[in-house]
Amino acid sequence: CQNGHPEVARLLLEAGAAIDQADEQGATPLFAACHQGHLEVAKLLSSYGASRAATPFGTPEEAANSQGHTDLAAWLVASRGWTPLAHLETLTAARATSLLRSGANLHEGEPTPLRRAAC
């Protein structure tokens, strides 16, 4: 698990993989990505609504900090409160369309998705 595989993760998520399914010890995919320092995978998982709640090992943010992944920890702080629609760096047009068709709120989150897109 040294490199992370964002494209494979995207394919699995698009196929309906359970975003928050924990392993035998209780670590979620987002926690594992943060522990290993896989920023792009963490962004992708967050864009699909991965929970940032504590696992038996702590929160994803704590995992990133404890392992010295300061860029990832900073991103986790900066993206608090974002909805899946606000994750512009990982959002494809098809995913955005799917979110909008399923009722994603254009005005939810801080900053709003449009404000992020305008910057």
Side-chain angles (χ1 to χ4, degrees):
C1 196
Q2 292 180 0
N3 299 318
H5 301 282
E7 292 309 314
V8 173
R10 182 183 301 280
L11 290 172
L12 294 169
L13 291 166
E14 288 174 356
I19 189 79
D20 291 320
Q21 185 173 354
D23 65 15
E24 310 80 47
Q25 290 80 35
T28 62
L30 181 59
F31 180 89
C34 292
H35 187 267
Q36 294 295 323
H38 301 314
L39 177 59
E40 294 309 313
V41 175
K43 286 179 177 182
L44 178 65
L45 292 168
S46 290
S47 77
Y48 275 78
S51 173
R52 296 183 182 197
T55 70
F57 309 103
T59 66
E61 185 180 330
E62 291 168 343
N65 276 317
S66 72
Q67 296 302 308
H69 306 301
T70 55
D71 57 338
L72 178 47
W75 182 84
L76 288 166
V77 170
S79 63
R80 283 183 192 151
W82 289 5
T83 64
L85 196 55
H87 288 79
L88 304 177
E89 295 86 356
T90 58
L91 203 58
T92 63
R95 175 80 175 132
T97 301
S98 174
L99 288 168
L100 291 168
R101 286 186 178 152
S102 62
N105 187 333
L106 295 172
H107 309 289
E108 187 178 345
E110 185 54 41
T112 65
L114 185 57
R115 181 171 292 231
R116 289 218 57 237
C119 293

